[in-house]
Amino acid sequence: MTQDELKQLVAREALKHVVEDAVVGVGSGSTVNFFIDALAGIKGRIEGTVAASETSAARLKKHGIRVFDLNSVDELPVYVDGADEVNEHLYMVKGGGGALTREKIIAAVAKRFVCICDASKLVGVLGKFPLPVEVIPMARGHVGRELRKLGGHPELREGFKTDNGNLVIDCHGLVITDPPRLEADLNNIAGAVTNGLFARRPADLLLLGEAGGVRALSARKA
Ligand code: 5RP
């Protein structure tokens, strides 16, 4: 099976976790695009969605699926999103597409986070994928220096602006042995809006697309 076929497989499997007559949280990225396309097939059975990026919102609307402002939503039973890396504790590195801040906000609101990935995303130790950090433009230099102090090699994502009008620094070379701790340390850097570590609010379920089918993994206790 190709990587896209694996992504499509987990995207379809995620439909089983969608709660009927409720609002669904929808992340962003290529795997989520397959989920959005699959969701279109059951759009009459959900109230609507909230979206983590303008790109996802546009795709949902193209399918005739309602997209709500998160502020108008009281309850979000399920959030479905991909990841750039995920480990056995269902801690993730996210933000490859630059939507990390809105993704983290929706994940915080959701009761249940279902992560959908192809098998290549499951890793032993997080950090091979450069860790994205969304940054207020005037803090770019300061955040870069702080990331260097933590042992990282920051690189500005050239020509990229987030949906919130900010910049993204991709931090290479971090060996992330204590993800919740590093997430908190990065949260403390002035001018860093969000970092792509999702450890304090990990996924609740991982649907992993493998050659033999979909494997469902719950978090192993840290
Ligand atoms: C975007 C994300 C995506 O979930 C992550 O980049 C995975 O994307 P893909 O499904 O295309 O591999 O965090 O900000």
Side-chain angles (χ1 to χ4, degrees), residues 24-67:
V24 184
V26 176
S28 67
S30 57
T31 316
V32 162
N33 282 344
F34 285 119
F35 174 67
I36 293 172
D37 296 347
L39 197 61
I42 61 156
K43 65 181 178 191
R45 286 159 42 194
I46 58 168
E47 195 184 338
T49 58
V50 289
S53 70
E54 299 297 339
T55 308
S56 290
R59 196 177 185 103
L60 286 158
K61 285 176 190 164
K62 219 171 111 192
H63 280 300
I65 301 172
R66 290 179 78 184
V67 181

Side-chain angles (χ1 to χ4, degrees), residues 9-198:
L9 194 69
V10 287
R12 288 197 187 125
E13 185 72 15
L15 288 183
K16 293 182 186 161
H17 300 273
V18 165
V19 176
E20 298 221 355
D21 300 321
V23 177
V24 184
V26 176
S28 67
S30 57
T31 316
V32 162
N33 282 344
F34 285 119
F35 174 67
I36 293 172
D37 296 347
L39 197 61
I42 61 156
K43 65 181 178 191
R45 286 159 42 194
I46 58 168
E47 195 184 338
T49 58
V50 289
S53 70
E54 299 297 339
T55 308
S56 290
R59 196 177 185 103
L60 286 158
K61 285 176 190 164
K62 219 171 111 192
H63 280 300
I65 301 172
R66 290 179 78 184
V67 181
F68 295 103
D69 181 314
L70 184 63
N71 292 305
S72 68
V73 170
D74 293 327
E75 278 203 2
L76 193 61
V78 178
Y79 175 51
V80 178
D81 199 358
D84 298 302
E85 285 183 341
V86 56
N87 73 8
E88 62 179 358
H89 305 299
L90 306 197
Y91 297 156
M92 295 161 284
V93 167
K94 291 182 46 54
L100 58 161
T101 298
R102 296 187 186 196
E103 291 173 347
K104 208 174 257 196
I105 294 167
I106 299 179
V109 173
K111 230 184 216 153
R112 199 151 178 259
F113 186 146
V114 177
C115 180
I116 51 173
C117 289
D118 67 85
S120 70
K121 306 290 184 68
L122 185 63
V123 299
V125 179
L126 300 173
K128 196 165 174 201
F129 190 92
L131 183 67
V133 182
E134 180 165 348
V135 176
I136 301 283
M138 73 169 284
R140 186 183 73 199
H142 170 66
V143 174
R145 286 188 293 276
E146 292 300 304
L147 291 171
R148 267 192 209 96
K149 283 184 200 163
L150 292 168
H153 307 287
E155 194 179 292
L156 184 68
R157 201 177 289 185
E158 288 295 340
F160 184 80
K161 234 186 201 180
T162 69
D163 286 346
N164 312 308
N166 295 316
L167 305 173
V168 169
I169 292 177
D170 293 304
C171 192
H172 299 253
L174 292 170
V175 179
I176 306 173
T177 48
D178 188 347
R181 175 76 199 270
L182 182 62
E183 184 180 357
D185 288 347
L186 295 172
N187 283 342
N188 277 333
I189 302 176
V193 180
T194 311
N195 66 81
L197 265 174
F198 284 56

Side-chain angles (χ1 to χ4, degrees), residues 1 6 9-10 13 117-119 207-216:
M1 260 196 265
L6 293 177
L9 194 69
V10 287
E13 185 72 15
C117 289
D118 67 85
L207 299 176
L208 197 68
E210 300 175 319
V214 177
R215 186 153 56 111

